[in-house]
Amino acid sequence: MHVGESHSPGPNVRFVAEARLPSRYGDFRVLAFECAEDGLDYGVMARGELFGAENVPVRLHSECFTGDVMGSLKCDCRDQLEAALTYVGNSEKGAVLYLPQEGRGIGLANKIRAYALQDRGLDTVEANIALGFPDDLRRYDTAAEIIRLLGIRSVALLTNNPAKVAGLARAGIAVASHIPLQTPPNAHNAFYLATKRDKSGHRL
Ligand SMILES: [Zn+2]
């Protein structure tokens, strides 16, 4: 695959390495990128020839230690990640970008502080505000730069979140379509999902 040279302006992201990665969701390639601005590494699971491709299924997945790794039932992150990897794993081409922005960008320790407030009855948005954070600190310019480096011309975004479509479009990426990821609620995350729908505008 061809990965272009980094160019400015932008968050100064560079491609580091790529390797084959067979997974339970199919045969992927895993790519690593480094962002000089935030000093973080970004991982991408990819399939097919992406350079010059249009309408490529792409998921921007924000890291969730409790959900993705530990199987928490408080959120739907792992369900969404698995749905996205399954979708791309069954597609000719596609990419899942794993973004190191835990807890909507506030970090793991602050996310657990917010969980402690939620144990006392606050919802996700109220808890973040009580800690002095805006509802959502996530940003998509680094993801946009990675999509450009992959040579993807336009994306079919795997998401229920209109803010993500808008954020990526603002960062200069052509969003040709979006593909909803519906995952069933459970007894623990029904309130979380309702807050996403009612306060954050997610299509659920
Ligand atoms: Zn989560």
Side-chain angles (χ1 to χ4, degrees):
M1 102 165 250
H2 324 277
V3 175
E5 290 297 309
S6 182
H7 58 273
S8 57
N12 197 8
V13 182
R14 78 181 184 96
F15 166 73
V16 179
E18 171 181 345
R20 289 201 311 259
L21 196 75
S23 81
R24 65 188 63 194
Y25 308 99
D27 288 327
F28 284 78
R29 302 187 306 279
V30 62
L31 293 84
F33 293 83
E34 276 176 357
C35 177
E37 190 185 301
D38 58 21
L40 298 174
D41 295 344
Y42 288 68
V44 176
M45 291 283 275
R47 274 174 62 81
E49 179 55 78
L50 302 179
F51 203 87
E54 310 255 11
N55 210 23
V56 176
V58 169
R59 166 77 183 165
L60 307 185
H61 190 84
S62 298
E63 174 181 6
C64 176
F65 167 74
T66 46
D68 298 342
V69 180
M70 296 303 175
S72 161
L73 298 177
K74 271 177 76 72
C75 59
D76 62 344
C77 299
R78 182 167 172 159
D79 288 340
Q80 292 213 13
L81 180 61
E82 290 188 345
L85 288 167
T86 301
Y87 188 95
V88 173
N90 287 310
S91 302
E92 193 184 319
K93 57 185 70 175
V96 176
L97 280 63
Y98 197 72
L99 311 175
Q101 41 192 9
E102 178 77 42
R104 301 185 183 185
I106 66 176
L108 178 62
N110 284 321
K111 181 170 100 170
I112 306 306
R113 289 171 70 205
Y115 277 7
L117 293 175
Q118 289 165 35
D119 285 345
R120 287 181 236 141
L122 276 64
D123 71 31
T124 327
V125 173
E126 290 164 349
N128 272 12
I129 290 169
L131 289 171
F133 297 109
D135 169 39
D136 200 330
L137 280 177
R138 289 178 294 186
R139 38 184 291 196
Y140 300 106
D141 53 344
T142 305
E145 191 62 25
I146 291 170
I147 290 168
R148 274 191 285 274
L149 289 171
L150 290 168
I152 294 171
R153 283 226 181 99
S154 66
V155 305
L157 201 61
L158 293 153
T159 187
N160 303 318
N161 184 356
K164 219 178 247 189
V165 175
L168 202 54
R170 265 199 309 278
I173 297 300
V175 182
S177 58
H178 92 276
I179 300 165
L181 285 176
Q182 300 294 1
T183 53
N186 65 48
H188 302 277
N189 69 15
F191 180 61
Y192 162 88
L193 292 173
T195 304
K196 262 187 169 181
R197 183 191 62 215
D198 300 337
K199 287 198 171 177
S200 303
H202 289 226
R203 300 187 190 97
L204 295 168

